[in-house]
């Protein structure tokens, strides 16, 4: 096999921990019982399920709940345009658990990547699938943020993976796809889009957290949050039962951001012209968009939500 000059040695599998941690599932998962039951049935029958809904509707929370039941081999992959920008990049991320689960195959894939001759993606995909089939325990791959995949080749790769898993009935590999939108070819695996929480679910959630709300407070929170679990969770903090305005919801969301995310929001809100963002900031921007704190349109600079702009003004 011809090698590229100065090729780097394959990484030592023992130094990698590719089975990535996933977001902690909410306790309890309220208002999503029907979707959870349907998702568990589809995973058991076909090995593939796709979760869709608005930003903040609880897609990742539902996927994390499913992932918790799928241990031990779980690989959570959040899609970012800058990181998963091609089919080659995505296949590498999908194959990453093999560094621990099947180190010989991982080493072979690494060598193939360094050869002068470019091996077709289909060949490398078959190697990856064969490796997963040889592992004793079932591996669950979670792809979160599928709408961020813009490369046709990467989308085709995801569709091929899901179709392969479905044909095998999820025997050794299972797929959970989550995103605001799905490629048409994946709609066959989709649950009904996640609906906003109703007043009954919000009331039950608050009671479970030891913060019972009366009917007027539940109605106020439902209006302020639009029933989106992410906004409801931000509001259901201690001592907020009598102050559930939309401004409080936004403030709580802001407080729960990391310092880097808060700083990026402040910079965007105060910028007179579109700032130049670093690689790390572009990744943070994707999360802020998912939380409805920033809006991005094709060809336009990021637009900060009016509530955040007002909040930044109060910060001085």
């Amino acid at each position: 096999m011809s090698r590229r000059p100065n090729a780097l040695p394959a990484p030592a599998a023992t130094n990698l921990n590719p089975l990535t941690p996933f977001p902690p599932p909410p306790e309890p998962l309220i208002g999503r019982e029907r979707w959870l039951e349907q998702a568990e049935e589809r995973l058991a029958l076909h090995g593939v399920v796709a979760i869709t809904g608005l930003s903040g509707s609880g897609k990742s929370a539902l996927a994390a709940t499913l992932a918790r039941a799928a241990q031990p081999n779980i690989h959570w992959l959040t899609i970012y345009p800058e990181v998963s920008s091609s089919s080659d990049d995505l296949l590498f991320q999908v194959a990453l658990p093999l560094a621990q689960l099947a180190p010989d195959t991982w080493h072979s894939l690494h060598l193939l990547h360094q050869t002068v001759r470019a091996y077709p993606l289909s060949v490398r995909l078959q190697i990856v699938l064969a490796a997963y089939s040889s592992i004793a325990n079932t591996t669950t791959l979670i792809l979160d943020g599928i709408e961020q995949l813009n490369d046709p080749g990467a989308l085709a790769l995801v569709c091929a993976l899901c179709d392969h898993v479905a044909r095998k009935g999820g025997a050794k590999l299972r797929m959970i796809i989550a995103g605001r939108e799905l490629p048409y070819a994946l709609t066959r695996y989709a649950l009904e889009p996640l609906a906003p929480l109703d007043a009954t679910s919000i009331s039950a959630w608050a009671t479970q957290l030891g913060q019972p709300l009366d009917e007027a407070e539940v109605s106020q929170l439902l209006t302020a949050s639009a029933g989106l679990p992410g906004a409801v969770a931000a509001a259901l903090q201690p001592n907020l039962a009598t102050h559930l305005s939309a401004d409080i919801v936004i403030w709580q969301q802001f407080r729960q951001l990391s310092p880097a995310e808060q700083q990026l929001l402040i910079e965007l809100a105060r910028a007179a012209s579109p700032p130049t963002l670093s690689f790390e900031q572009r990744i943070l921007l994707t999360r802020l968009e998912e939380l409805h704190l920033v809006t991005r349109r094709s060809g336009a600079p990021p637009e900060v939500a009016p509530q955040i702009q007002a909040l930044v003004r109060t910060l001085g």
Side-chain angles (χ1 to χ4, degrees):
M1 181 180 294
S2 178
R3 298 280 300 277
R4 289 177 181 169
N6 301 321
L8 295 175
T14 54
N15 294 331
L16 295 175
N17 183 22
L19 299 189
T20 53
F22 53 91
E27 292 289 354
L29 183 67
I30 290 180
R32 295 291 181 250
E33 295 81 4
R34 174 164 59 91
W35 285 271
L36 179 60
E37 182 180 355
Q38 292 175 357
E40 289 173 338
E41 289 178 357
R42 294 200 183 191
L43 280 177
L45 289 174
H46 309 295
V48 183
V49 67
I51 305 167
T52 63
L54 296 173
S55 294
S57 61
K59 300 181 297 296
S60 297
L62 179 56
T65 302
L66 292 167
R68 178 177 54 185
Q71 296 188 54
N73 293 344
I74 305 163
H75 181 44
W76 186 288
L77 171 58
T78 300
I79 302 296
Y80 296 109
E82 299 86 353
V83 180
S84 308
S85 57
S86 70
S87 54
D88 284 313
D89 293 339
L90 184 62
L91 181 60
F92 172 82
Q93 293 172 294
V94 167
L96 193 55
L98 297 176
Q100 178 175 317
L101 301 174
D104 290 342
T105 299
W106 174 256
H107 183 79
S108 298
L109 286 169
H110 186 78
L111 293 179
L112 285 177
H113 182 68
Q114 296 183 79
T115 59
V116 174
R117 174 188 174 189
Y119 279 74
L121 184 73
S122 58
V123 172
R124 287 174 283 147
L125 176 59
Q126 289 302 318
I127 294 174
V128 170
L129 293 175
Y132 278 122
S133 297
S134 67
I135 297 169
N137 295 320
T138 298
T139 302
T140 301
L141 300 179
I142 300 98
L143 272 62
D144 192 15
I146 191 68
E147 75 280 356
Q148 299 292 336
L149 276 184
N150 299 318
D151 179 69
L155 288 171
L157 174 61
V158 174
C159 295
L161 275 170
C162 290
D163 290 344
H164 171 85
V165 170
R167 286 195 299 270
K168 299 293 184 179
K172 288 299 184 71
L173 183 63
R174 303 198 303 178
M175 300 281 296
I176 300 173
I177 309 295
R180 294 194 300 270
E181 299 175 355
L182 293 174
Y184 177 76
L186 293 182
T187 55
R188 74 188 81 173
Y189 305 117
L191 302 175
E192 176 186 347
L194 296 179
L197 297 178
D198 57 20
T200 301
S201 296
I202 292 176
S203 178
W205 193 355
T207 301
Q208 285 273 5
L209 295 176
Q211 302 174 51
L213 305 177
D214 61 31
E215 185 175 343
E217 291 169 337
V218 170
S219 177
Q220 189 177 6
L221 178 53
L222 180 60
T223 300
S225 65
L228 295 176
V232 174
L236 289 178
Q237 301 294 326
N239 305 320
L240 286 182
T242 58
H243 302 284
L244 298 176
S245 67
D247 290 341
I248 289 294
V249 172
I250 292 294
W251 171 241
Q252 287 300 312
Q253 280 189 297
F254 184 82
R255 286 181 57 191
Q256 291 182 352
L257 298 175
S258 69
E261 291 168 337
Q262 291 181 4
Q263 184 60 37
L264 177 58
L265 264 182
I266 292 173
E267 291 178 6
L268 291 174
R270 292 176 174 172
S273 58
T276 301
L277 302 180
S278 66
F279 176 79
E280 291 78 9
Q281 287 178 317
R282 291 198 298 272
I283 293 179
L284 294 177
L285 187 62
T286 299
R287 169 167 162 73
L288 296 177
E289 184 183 20
E290 291 177 348
L291 294 173
H292 287 292
L293 301 179
V294 172
T295 301
R296 284 191 290 181
R297 296 181 176 85
S298 178
E303 182 179 341
V304 179
Q307 299 95 324
I308 292 296
Q309 293 180 358
L311 175 62
V312 169
R313 286 195 293 270
T314 67
L315 297 176

